[in-house]
């Protein structure tokens, strides 16, 4: 699965969360076509049209996309962002030194 495919699948993940709350699943025809195309490329079989089966397979491809996103080699921007976050945490954990009054 390519990075673009992973990002797209994760961008439509909110539809699954909405479905779990409301039991109504709505994708636009363009989104449905793209999800089915990605599923076919990744899994090697067509995505079923049955609503229950579609939800199960949609959930499985989201799980796979999340797992692949975690396994990706980090980019320079990700490494820099992580280093910045760790530096900020280190600064927050240091004790505050009182300011000495100059005589």
């Amino acid at each position: 699965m390519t990075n673009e495919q992973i990002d797209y699948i994760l961008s439509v993940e909110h539809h699954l969360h909405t479905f779990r709350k409301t039991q109504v699943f709505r994708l636009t025809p363009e989104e449905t076509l793209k999800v089915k195309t990605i599923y076919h490329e990744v899994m090697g079989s067509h995505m079923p049209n049955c609503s229950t089966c579609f939800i199960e397979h949609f959930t499985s491809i989201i799980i796979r996309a999340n797992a692949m996103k975690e396994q990706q080699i980090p980019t320079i921007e990700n490494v820099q962002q992580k280093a910045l976050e760790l530096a900020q945490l280190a600064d927050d954990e240091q004790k505050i030194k009182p300011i000495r009054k100059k005589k």
Side-chain angles (χ1 to χ4, degrees):
M1 196 180 298
T2 65
N3 289 339
E4 294 83 22
Q5 291 174 331
I6 292 170
D7 293 337
Y8 183 77
I9 292 296
L10 295 178
S11 72
V12 294
E13 181 179 10
H14 68 278
H15 290 294
L16 184 63
H17 298 301
T18 305
F19 170 75
R20 289 185 178 151
K21 291 178 186 174
T22 64
Q23 294 298 311
V24 176
F25 189 75
R26 290 196 178 133
L27 286 175
T28 64
E30 294 83 19
E31 290 173 333
T32 304
L33 180 64
K34 192 155 186 177
V35 167
K36 285 183 175 186
T37 303
I38 292 171
Y39 184 87
H40 180 65
E41 289 175 7
V42 172
M43 302 295 198
S45 62
H46 294 288
M47 195 166 213
N49 290 324
C50 163
S51 60
T52 305
C53 300
F54 186 89
I55 297 296
E56 289 175 3
H57 290 266
F58 186 65
T59 304
S60 70
I61 199 163
I62 287 174
I63 291 169
R64 179 174 278 210
N66 280 325
M68 293 182 86
K69 184 76 172 177
E70 291 175 5
Q71 294 175 355
Q72 282 182 345
I73 298 172
T75 61
I76 293 174
E77 294 82 20
N78 293 344
V79 171
Q80 289 174 341
Q81 181 66 28
K82 188 69 174 174
L84 180 63
E85 290 172 7
L86 290 174
Q88 288 173 343
L89 284 174
D91 284 345
D92 292 343
E93 291 175 358
Q94 291 182 5
K95 294 180 182 177
I96 301 174
K97 296 178 183 176
I99 299 174
R100 294 184 181 180
K101 294 182 181 177
K102 294 183 180 180
K103 295 181 181 182

